[in-house]
Amino acid sequence: MRGRMMGWEYGIRTKEYNMLPEIMQRLAASLTYSRMYSLEQHTDGFNLLRDDASWPRALEVGLEEANGLDEIADGERYIYCLFHIWGEEGRVWRQQLEGVTNQYSGMFEWFEL
């Protein structure tokens, strides 16, 4: 996913790697969106797709391996979040995702990319 920087980019780091699959499912389930969007889940994450061929992806969330980041050591896995939609919708989705990670006191830390 990295390399297509056109939106808000965040990472979520944790040392609790065994929790990543569960958290990924909970993150996807936490999102609320209108019928113009659909959720596409895949092995290591999910995309929130828009019913608009000119701008099909609204949000991409997936597991990544760090490489050349200041915020996390090379080789460590983290959750990558790319918000293609800004404004109120993007802000609400980020709050919903943060709500999930905040339920695990001290286990997950958001950082800006």
Side-chain angles (χ1 to χ4, degrees):
M1 274 188 233
R2 301 246 334 128
R4 291 176 277 172
M5 295 173 237
M6 52 183 296
W8 294 332
E9 284 188 298
Y10 295 94
I12 306 170
R13 68 178 142 229
T14 185
K15 297 291 184 191
E16 302 295 330
Y17 299 115
N18 60 325
M19 295 205 52
L20 289 174
E22 174 190 336
I23 291 303
M24 198 60 73
Q25 288 180 347
R26 294 200 59 209
L27 292 172
S30 75
L31 296 173
T32 58
Y33 45 89
S34 70
R35 286 192 293 214
M36 74 180 288
Y37 297 99
S38 62
L39 189 68
E40 172 189 81
Q41 293 190 287
H42 47 86
T43 306
D44 286 335
F46 60 89
N47 296 318
L48 190 56
L49 303 176
R50 227 176 117 182
D51 187 17
D52 180 348
S54 68
W55 199 287
R57 286 200 169 111
L59 171 63
E60 296 177 63
V61 178
L63 295 177
E64 296 278 324
E65 190 172 292
N67 185 13
L69 299 177
D70 293 336
E71 301 84 0
I72 191 166
D74 285 356
E76 286 193 36
R77 295 188 47 93
Y78 69 102
I79 299 171
Y80 173 71
C81 305
L82 174 56
F83 294 81
H84 292 280
I85 300 291
W86 305 300
E88 186 63 18
E89 269 181 315
R91 187 185 64 73
V92 167
W93 292 334
R94 178 164 181 214
Q95 287 175 338
Q96 290 170 343
L97 297 178
E98 285 180 322
V100 171
T101 59
N102 289 344
Q103 292 174 15
Y104 299 87
S105 182
M107 287 181 142
F108 296 95
E109 182 183 349
W110 284 73
F111 59 96
E112 201 167 336
L113 294 167

